[in-house]
Amino acid sequence: MKNLKRPVVGAIAVLLICSLSLLVTAQEQATVLTGAELTRVIPPGFYFQGLSAPTQVRNSSAVRFGSSRYVLAGLVDTSGYAADVRAKYEGFLITDSAIAINGSALDTGAYGFGFSNDGKLNILDLAGHQIFSVATSRDATLRRPRPLVIIQSGGEVRLYSGKDYAVIVVK
């Protein structure tokens, strides 16, 4: 009787572990938002370094991980900002859970960002202080680059500025 219990208990444990891993994988499934879903989550404006700027909705993008974890990104009209601010800040990044961008950890929150001409993505706090800078990759195969978009490609979620991109991963 003891010999029969061990295989049954072992099989149940394996099934439970497999079920839990499938549940975790399903929760992290990424969905790039479009249409009404996108306009519902993108804010009409964004505060950065003492000023509020309107969002360029046509140059905004969002991704949902699982059923309720979001990462939003959008360009803003920086015409009211000083030249030095415009040189480093072009948009906002909002995340409601911890993420990593090209391997660098970023906590839940709202941030400014800018893609630089030397192939970097700079992440800034709302006061304009740089949190980190990561090297971007270039996608020479991208046919119609846009000023800003989030695209799923080969199992990755990529934040693009033109043909330059950084990979976003939820933690």
Short mmCIF file of all heavy atoms in Angstrom, two decimals, residues 34 38 47 52 65 68 73 86 95 105 124-125 133 136 144 165:
data_model
loop_
_atom_site.label_atom_id
_atom_site.label_comp_id
_atom_site.label_asym_id
_atom_site.label_seq_id
_atom_site.Cartn_x
_atom_site.Cartn_y
_atom_site.Cartn_z
N THR A 34 -4.67 48.88 -28.51
CA THR A 34 -4.98 49.70 -29.68
C THR A 34 -6.38 50.29 -29.51
O THR A 34 -7.14 49.88 -28.64
CB THR A 34 -4.95 48.87 -30.98
OG1 THR A 34 -5.91 47.81 -30.87
CG2 THR A 34 -3.58 48.30 -31.25
N LEU A 38 -6.56 51.72 -25.92
CA LEU A 38 -5.39 52.60 -25.79
C LEU A 38 -5.80 53.99 -25.32
O LEU A 38 -5.23 54.52 -24.37
CB LEU A 38 -4.63 52.70 -27.12
CG LEU A 38 -3.43 53.64 -27.14
CD1 LEU A 38 -2.36 53.18 -26.16
CD2 LEU A 38 -2.87 53.75 -28.55
N TYR A 47 2.90 65.77 -16.37
CA TYR A 47 3.68 66.72 -15.58
C TYR A 47 5.13 66.27 -15.57
O TYR A 47 5.44 65.10 -15.33
CB TYR A 47 3.14 66.75 -14.15
CG TYR A 47 4.06 67.49 -13.20
CD1 TYR A 47 3.95 68.86 -13.04
CD2 TYR A 47 5.04 66.82 -12.49
CE1 TYR A 47 4.80 69.55 -12.18
CE2 TYR A 47 5.89 67.49 -11.63
CZ TYR A 47 5.77 68.85 -11.48
OH TYR A 47 6.60 69.53 -10.65
N SER A 52 3.36 71.12 -17.24
CA SER A 52 2.47 70.09 -17.78
C SER A 52 2.40 70.26 -19.29
O SER A 52 2.26 71.37 -19.78
CB SER A 52 1.08 70.24 -17.17
OG SER A 52 0.24 69.23 -17.64
N PHE A 65 0.20 43.53 -19.37
CA PHE A 65 0.75 42.23 -19.02
C PHE A 65 -0.27 41.52 -18.15
O PHE A 65 -0.68 42.06 -17.12
CB PHE A 65 2.08 42.38 -18.27
CG PHE A 65 3.18 42.94 -19.13
CD1 PHE A 65 3.44 44.30 -19.15
CD2 PHE A 65 3.95 42.11 -19.92
CE1 PHE A 65 4.45 44.82 -19.93
CE2 PHE A 65 4.97 42.62 -20.72
CZ PHE A 65 5.21 43.98 -20.72
N SER A 68 -4.02 42.91 -15.64
CA SER A 68 -4.12 44.22 -14.98
C SER A 68 -2.80 44.93 -14.72
O SER A 68 -2.72 45.78 -13.86
CB SER A 68 -4.86 44.06 -13.66
OG SER A 68 -4.13 43.19 -12.81
N ALA A 73 3.51 54.57 -22.58
CA ALA A 73 4.56 55.47 -23.06
C ALA A 73 3.95 56.41 -24.08
O ALA A 73 3.09 56.00 -24.87
CB ALA A 73 5.71 54.70 -23.68
N ARG A 86 14.25 70.04 -23.34
CA ARG A 86 13.80 69.38 -24.57
C ARG A 86 14.86 68.44 -25.13
O ARG A 86 14.54 67.44 -25.77
CB ARG A 86 13.43 70.43 -25.63
CG ARG A 86 12.11 71.09 -25.40
CD ARG A 86 11.60 71.81 -26.64
NE ARG A 86 12.60 72.64 -27.31
CZ ARG A 86 12.72 73.95 -27.13
NH1 ARG A 86 11.93 74.59 -26.31
NH2 ARG A 86 13.64 74.62 -27.79
N THR A 95 4.40 53.04 -15.35
CA THR A 95 4.27 51.61 -15.10
C THR A 95 3.62 51.38 -13.75
O THR A 95 3.97 52.04 -12.77
CB THR A 95 5.63 50.89 -15.19
OG1 THR A 95 5.44 49.50 -14.88
CG2 THR A 95 6.68 51.48 -14.28
N ALA A 105 16.51 47.81 -13.64
CA ALA A 105 15.26 47.76 -12.87
C ALA A 105 14.64 49.15 -12.75
O ALA A 105 15.34 50.15 -12.55
CB ALA A 105 15.53 47.20 -11.48
N LEU A 124 14.27 59.39 -16.61
CA LEU A 124 14.39 60.52 -15.68
C LEU A 124 13.26 60.50 -14.67
O LEU A 124 12.13 60.11 -15.00
CB LEU A 124 14.34 61.83 -16.47
CG LEU A 124 15.21 61.91 -17.71
CD1 LEU A 124 14.75 63.01 -18.64
CD2 LEU A 124 16.65 62.13 -17.31
N ASP A 125 13.53 60.96 -13.45
CA ASP A 125 12.42 61.13 -12.50
C ASP A 125 11.67 62.40 -12.87
O ASP A 125 12.06 63.14 -13.79
CB ASP A 125 12.91 61.13 -11.05
CG ASP A 125 13.79 62.30 -10.67
OD1 ASP A 125 13.80 63.34 -11.39
OD2 ASP A 125 14.46 62.21 -9.63
N SER A 133 20.54 55.16 -17.76
CA SER A 133 20.65 55.25 -19.21
C SER A 133 21.03 53.86 -19.71
O SER A 133 21.93 53.23 -19.14
CB SER A 133 21.71 56.27 -19.60
OG SER A 133 21.82 56.37 -20.99
N THR A 136 20.48 51.29 -26.58
CA THR A 136 19.38 50.74 -27.37
C THR A 136 19.94 49.87 -28.48
O THR A 136 21.13 49.92 -28.79
CB THR A 136 18.52 51.86 -27.99
OG1 THR A 136 19.34 52.68 -28.82
CG2 THR A 136 17.87 52.70 -26.90
N ARG A 144 8.31 50.44 -41.33
CA ARG A 144 7.71 51.76 -41.16
C ARG A 144 7.95 52.26 -39.74
O ARG A 144 7.07 52.15 -38.89
CB ARG A 144 6.22 51.70 -41.44
CG ARG A 144 5.92 51.43 -42.89
CD ARG A 144 4.47 51.61 -43.16
NE ARG A 144 4.24 51.48 -44.59
CZ ARG A 144 3.10 51.20 -45.11
NH1 ARG A 144 2.05 50.99 -44.34
NH2 ARG A 144 2.96 51.11 -46.42
N TYR A 165 15.35 50.68 -30.24
CA TYR A 165 14.42 50.12 -29.26
C TYR A 165 15.13 49.65 -28.00
O TYR A 165 16.33 49.38 -28.00
CB TYR A 165 13.59 48.97 -29.87
CG TYR A 165 14.37 47.71 -30.13
CD1 TYR A 165 14.48 46.71 -29.16
CD2 TYR A 165 15.01 47.49 -31.34
CE1 TYR A 165 15.18 45.56 -29.40
CE2 TYR A 165 15.72 46.33 -31.59
CZ TYR A 165 15.80 45.37 -30.61
OH TYR A 165 16.51 44.21 -30.85
#
